[in-house]
Amino acid sequence: MTSVTRAFPQNFLFGAATAAYQIEGAAFEDGRTASIWDAFCRVPGAVIGGDDGDVACDHYHRHPQDVALMKDLGLQTYRFSTSWSRVRPDGGAVNAKGVDFYERLVDELLANDILPWLTLYHWDMPQALQDIGGWTNRDTVSRFLEYAGTMHDALGDRVNVWTTLNEPWCSSFLSYTGGEHAPGHTSVAEGLLSAHHLLLAHGETVRELRGRDASLNLGITLNHTVADPADPTNPADVDAARRVDGQFNRWFLDPIYRGEYPADIVEDIRVVDPEAVARFHEAVRDGDLDTIAQRIDTQGVNYYHGDLLAGEAPERAAVESVPDTGRAVRSPYPSFERIHAVERGLPRTAQNWEVQPEGLTRLLQRIWSEYAEPAGVVLSLTENGAAYDDVAVVADGETRVHDDDRTEFLRLHLAAVLDAVDAGVDVRGYFYWSLFDNFEWAWGYDKRFGIVRVDYDTQERSVKDSGREYARIIAARAL
């Protein structure tokens, strides 16, 4: 049996992604002050092992070597985030030393022919702003716009791709309603307010940056699931899938592309918490939805797995992927009753996430046909990856990680992207999550996602077999 070589489009970019708090370290150096994650990590039971990002991968001090490693892997682009707490500590005046770090990082990337793909917000709001309401406070939108302007002042001449937010579902519902992420609140109303203000900050920033430079590539990155009913003929299962899709996907897609929140989901939430919906309606002012629906150029798609859902408790319930910290959390879905995840026997990662590459193909086709193509927006897969329990082997003085599961995960999902491309979807890039093993939020350092292993004691970097395979695919531009 002969293997078939599948080439990637000429305009397709191969990259990897990270986030500031997860890799930089230097948490309180050179003027940086506490973010909500610095504070959350110090809450007993919030993070497995009591871990924090104080040192992480020490990227702040090691970025020249890290960029050289990216070059060795053949990465064409690098998606990173800038730290609001480093650039405008406490949400206040500009910190020149913080800005200088990102100028040096961008210059290093450009010197190595790597395209900088900048994300302005990957969840590290200054704690001083959270103390006065965080994303539930509309004034935070203005503070974010100031921060975005500072970054463009510094890097607008060298960075063309600007992403406003990473996964606003996580920084609203998972953080203010579910309680799993910083600031760890469990309020339906706060989740709704935060989601709206995050989207408003996105729209305001796109409008501001577009006004400064019409040539910029502007966008947002959303995380998505594929919500399938366990029995498509069972109305209860179909309804469970509709509500998950609406609260996870459409709550953000609809206002960005259509200037409206999904009316069916608003009504679902009203049934369980009418006061929260009343507060939400008060927060949505005239003109807000027009602002949110500013034209974008690129939508980042983050995909890890889908969901098979039932309206009643199934015989085989899916294993939940929630870090066991012992701290009380709740469902991030405001309307969560009669939603049950069903076990379907797919392979699972070390984080109990299903491996479902065909879901990625369907997701890209759906977003393309229903949202992106009519709006003239292209797609990039900005996060996709897997945690596995890697074992490092030292032979002849070299550390190797034979991560066959991750290597197969990478290949399967790149093939799923090509399946979407073959179906007519305009996908312009793939960013593996993550370049490095790093601080994985409430999971601490318990889970490793990287194609590069980090020894947290020595900060030694070792390219895993998955990283070597990715470098081979990039060099060949083919599977």
Side-chain angles (χ1 to χ4, degrees):
M1 182 177 178
T2 59
S3 61
V4 177
T5 298
R6 303 182 67 189
F8 288 87
Q10 287 301 308
N11 62 358
F12 192 89
L13 293 173
F14 293 95
T18 66
Y21 189 74
Q22 293 181 269
I23 69 166
E24 283 180 4
F28 300 100
E29 289 185 39
D30 292 339
R32 185 187 179 280
T33 57
S35 73
I36 55 175
W37 271 95
D38 294 292
F40 190 62
C41 288
R42 285 156 175 79
V43 174
V47 177
I48 287 179
D51 292 338
D52 57 49
D54 287 6
V55 177
C57 303
D58 197 32
H59 177 70
Y60 186 80
H61 299 112
R62 300 169 185 265
H63 68 276
Q65 303 96 299
D66 288 344
V67 173
L69 189 154
M70 297 176 208
K71 179 72 170 179
D72 289 344
L73 289 171
L75 298 186
Q76 296 175 281
T77 181
Y78 172 54
R79 178 175 174 254
F80 64 99
S81 74
T82 52
S83 168
W84 193 350
S85 296
R86 195 178 298 284
V87 171
R88 295 190 75 120
D90 298 331
V94 176
N95 175 29
K97 289 184 177 180
V99 174
D100 178 66
F101 167 68
Y102 295 110
E103 294 198 82
R104 287 183 283 119
L105 173 61
V106 166
D107 287 346
E108 197 78 36
L109 291 167
L110 293 173
N112 285 275
D113 297 320
I114 299 170
L115 175 75
W117 191 291
L118 190 152
T119 299
L120 286 164
Y121 189 67
H122 202 129
W123 312 346
D124 49 358
M125 171 190 289
Q127 177 61 32
L129 294 183
Q130 178 56 45
D131 291 341
I132 54 174
W135 285 115
T136 70
N137 182 349
R138 190 180 178 98
D139 187 58
T140 299
V141 175
S142 299
R143 303 289 76 76
F144 183 80
L145 193 60
E146 292 172 349
Y147 156 61
T150 296
M151 293 313 308
H152 185 265
D153 289 343
L155 296 173
D157 61 334
R158 285 162 282 178
V159 175
N160 181 253
V161 184
W162 294 77
T163 300
T164 54
L165 309 174
N166 177 78
E167 298 186 348
W169 182 86
C170 289
S171 45
S172 57
F173 292 116
L174 192 61
S175 302
Y176 285 88
T177 296
E180 185 179 321
H181 280 190
H185 295 184
T186 53
S187 162
V188 170
E190 289 193 17
L192 293 171
L193 294 175
S194 298
H196 180 63
H197 293 148
L198 278 155
L199 287 172
L200 189 59
H202 155 75
E204 293 277 16
T205 300
V206 169
R207 182 160 57 194
E208 171 66 19
L209 296 185
R210 184 84 67 198
R212 291 179 175 212
D213 184 351
S215 72
L216 296 179
N217 183 333
L218 303 176
I220 189 170
T221 282
L222 305 177
N223 54 323
H224 293 287
T225 188
V226 177
D228 291 321
D231 179 357
T233 68
N234 183 330
D237 294 359
V238 172
D239 191 65
R242 175 191 64 81
R243 284 189 289 141
V244 167
D245 177 63
Q247 293 175 94
F248 203 106
N249 297 324
R250 291 189 287 125
W251 194 266
F252 299 94
L253 288 167
D254 284 11
I256 290 168
Y257 284 98
R258 298 172 180 169
E260 61 187 19
Y261 286 102
D264 61 319
I265 301 303
V266 173
E267 290 306 309
D268 290 336
I269 299 171
R270 190 196 308 277
V271 170
V272 298
D273 198 331
E275 182 180 347
V277 171
R279 290 183 62 188
F280 166 70
H281 280 313
E282 290 175 4
V284 181
R285 300 180 185 175
D286 289 345
D288 281 4
L289 287 165
D290 288 339
T291 296
I292 291 168
Q294 295 291 306
R295 178 180 64 84
I296 60 174
D297 303 294
T298 297
Q299 186 202 323
V301 175
N302 290 359
Y303 174 81
Y304 291 93
H305 63 90
D307 293 286
L308 188 66
L309 300 157
E312 296 180 358
E315 291 184 9
R316 298 182 65 202
V319 179
E320 288 191 47
S321 178
V322 178
D324 185 13
T325 64
R327 183 173 166 275
V329 296
R330 56 146 283 169
S331 171
Y333 298 120
S335 173
F336 67 88
E337 298 84 355
R338 300 178 309 283
I339 293 176
H340 302 274
V342 180
E343 176 59 49
R344 50 186 156 187
L346 293 175
R348 287 183 175 270
T349 71
Q351 204 164 346
N352 279 324
W353 288 351
E354 291 181 328
V355 178
Q356 189 196 1
E358 60 83 22
L360 173 57
T361 304
R362 287 192 286 131
L363 173 67
L364 291 169
Q365 288 177 289
R366 185 262 181 111
I367 296 174
W368 175 249
S369 64
E370 293 185 21
Y371 294 97
E373 184 181 24
V377 175
V378 301
L379 303 178
S380 279
L381 192 62
T382 38
E383 284 184 29
N384 173 245
Y388 288 105
D389 295 325
D390 300 330
V391 176
V393 178
V394 179
D396 299 324
E398 183 180 16
T399 301
R400 296 293 298 266
V401 177
H402 303 302
D403 56 338
D404 294 344
D405 286 338
R406 184 177 292 105
T407 301
E408 181 67 5
F409 182 99
L410 172 71
R411 291 183 57 83
L412 287 172
H413 285 81
L414 281 169
V417 172
L418 284 177
D419 289 343
V421 170
D422 290 346
V425 181
D426 193 351
V427 187
R428 297 290 180 91
Y430 177 91
F431 295 76
Y432 183 81
W433 182 273
S434 174
L435 177 60
F436 300 113
D437 294 335
N438 56 36
F439 176 82
E440 191 50 43
W441 308 114
W443 293 90
Y445 296 100
D446 191 58
K447 303 301 177 190
R448 292 178 177 268
F449 273 85
I451 52 174
V452 176
R453 176 182 173 81
V454 176
D455 183 319
Y456 298 119
D457 293 327
T458 66
Q459 293 295 336
E460 178 189 8
R461 277 76 159 135
S462 304
V463 178
K464 303 177 188 179
D465 285 359
S466 57
R468 298 171 191 272
E469 174 64 3
Y470 192 32
R472 187 199 64 76
I473 293 169
I474 295 170
R477 295 194 61 80
L479 275 178

